[in-house]
Amino acid sequence: MGLGPFLASEIVLINPAIGWRVVFGIGATLAFIVLVIRSHASETVRMLGLKGHVDQAEKVVKEMEEKAMKRTGLKELPPPQPLSFQVKKVDPFYVFKNPVYRIRVLAVMLAIFFFYFGEYPYLTEYPLWTSTFLGYKGSLGDEITFLFGLAGVATFLGAIGLRFVVERVRRPILVTLSYFVGMLLGVLVAVYGAIIKDVNLAFVGMLLTNFIGVGWSNQLNYLNGTENVPTYARATSFAFSDGFAHLGAAISTAIMFSIIPLLGSLGTWVLFQIPMVIMGIILIKVLPNTIGKSLESVNESQAGI
């Protein structure tokens, strides 16, 4: 995600006629590579246990324990804290019958929906907007395209930076912060800088948007979509929340340019970011705290199946 926009911008600028085709070809090739990697990925301990593959689960846990003791220097691990809850074989969609999980999944879906609603126009239409509405042509157009691609590296750096706080601060708080600081403020600065023809200011906004807005939000959204439901329903929850949420991207990219003549560029860009911030605040109220806790204690043993 970090190198992609930068490399894509360079490829497109070298030969605009076929560059975008090359970019799509690279993406398709990488998709096949990911498919091969996924086919060899091991199952999670929780799912192995749920399916009755206790020996395999125990092997994975043993390897994890050995690595943990080696890295921390501990001679022995702390005693386990067993939880008491019932697991029954149910359809993954059974999760929606529980009102607690139903509210969580719907709230996460709407949060990601409005995130995509604001993020995708920035990722796909910002350079087009500068050329269509602001008249960025020639060398100026090439410069803004190059800087937009270069700022994509901040997404990778932001993902690394998130590692230092992701296990210290509640996910909903972090995601709200990333929505507000990264997307709302970042896009505002990037758009305002482009409007006043201050390319350096626009680049600062791009860096902020990619580092926190894109680099943090995506991963936090994926976590929220999986760790707030029982083990058996995590794939279903994520497929539902992230799948339906992409409708936000389809809607916003289709309507944004038609709204700009009515509200102006700055007003439209900012308006598209506000709903995600509101949904982030709602997540703080809806989602439980998972930091330093067993997911079974947050889900199965408290809210049940």
Side-chain angles (χ1 to χ4, degrees):
M1 290 182 67
L3 294 176
F6 173 69
L7 294 175
S9 66
E10 287 296 285
I11 293 171
V12 171
L13 288 175
I14 291 173
N15 192 325
I18 66 170
W20 65 272
R21 294 178 171 87
V22 174
V23 170
F24 273 92
I26 294 174
T29 302
L30 293 175
F32 281 109
I33 295 175
V34 171
L35 184 64
V36 173
I37 294 174
R38 285 171 62 90
S39 67
H40 290 79
S42 60
E43 186 57 88
T44 66
V45 173
R46 288 181 172 87
M47 188 57 71
L48 287 171
L50 193 64
K51 291 182 176 181
H53 302 310
V54 180
D55 291 341
Q56 295 181 42
E58 181 62 34
K59 180 181 178 181
V60 175
V61 171
K62 183 179 179 181
E63 292 175 354
M64 293 167 65
E65 290 173 342
E66 291 174 350
K67 289 180 180 178
M69 287 191 291
K70 183 177 180 180
R71 291 183 180 181
T72 60
L74 293 174
K75 299 299 182 182
E76 61 181 16
L77 293 171
Q81 299 177 352
L83 298 170
S84 178
F85 59 90
Q86 182 181 6
V87 176
K88 53 185 177 181
K89 189 174 182 179
V90 294
D91 184 276
F93 289 98
Y94 187 84
V95 70
F96 292 104
K97 292 186 178 182
N98 185 314
V100 175
Y101 299 134
R102 185 165 62 242
I103 292 174
R104 290 181 188 176
V105 174
L106 288 174
V108 170
M109 186 273 287
L110 289 173
I112 303 177
F113 175 94
F114 285 115
F115 169 68
Y116 288 155
F117 187 86
E119 179 204 32
Y120 267 76
Y122 166 76
L123 291 177
T124 62
E125 297 187 341
Y126 182 87
L128 180 61
W129 165 73
T130 58
S131 63
T132 303
F133 288 88
L134 303 183
Y136 277 61
K137 305 292 183 181
S139 60
L140 187 59
D142 290 345
E143 182 179 8
I144 201 73
T145 300
F146 170 77
L147 291 177
F148 183 77
L150 180 61
V153 178
T155 301
F156 171 70
L157 299 177
I160 295 176
L162 180 63
R163 289 175 59 89
F164 297 98
V165 295
V166 72
E167 295 298 340
R168 292 184 171 89
V169 184
R170 283 186 60 202
R171 319 271 196 240
I173 295 176
L174 279 179
V175 80
T176 303
L177 179 68
S178 64
Y179 285 172
F180 178 75
V181 176
M183 296 308 302
L184 180 56
L185 294 184
V187 169
L188 188 154
V189 173
V191 169
Y192 180 73
I195 291 175
I196 65 173
K197 296 295 193 295
D198 188 336
V199 178
N200 292 327
L201 181 62
F203 184 56
V204 170
M206 296 175 199
L207 290 175
L208 184 60
T209 301
N210 283 277
F211 187 90
I212 297 181
V214 183
W216 287 23
S217 297
N218 278 306
Q219 295 164 97
L220 291 166
N221 287 337
Y222 300 157
L223 284 172
N224 285 333
T226 56
E227 67 181 14
N228 294 291
V229 296
T231 299
Y232 74 89
R234 289 197 181 122
T236 299
S237 169
F238 179 74
F240 176 85
S241 58
D242 194 59
F244 278 102
H246 273 84
L247 290 174
I251 294 171
S252 61
T253 52
I255 66 174
M256 168 166 266
F257 282 4
S258 62
I259 296 178
I260 289 178
L262 301 176
L263 301 180
S265 287
L266 190 62
T268 301
W269 279 103
V270 171
L271 178 65
F272 274 45
Q273 314 305 315
I274 291 177
M276 74 173 77
V277 178
I278 296 174
M279 282 307 308
I281 296 173
I282 292 175
L283 288 184
I284 296 176
K285 297 290 185 180
V286 171
L287 299 183
N289 181 19
T290 59
I291 302 299
K293 297 182 179 181
S294 164
L295 294 183
E296 286 86 357
S297 70
V298 175
N299 299 310
E300 286 94 331
S301 64
Q302 288 188 10
I305 299 298

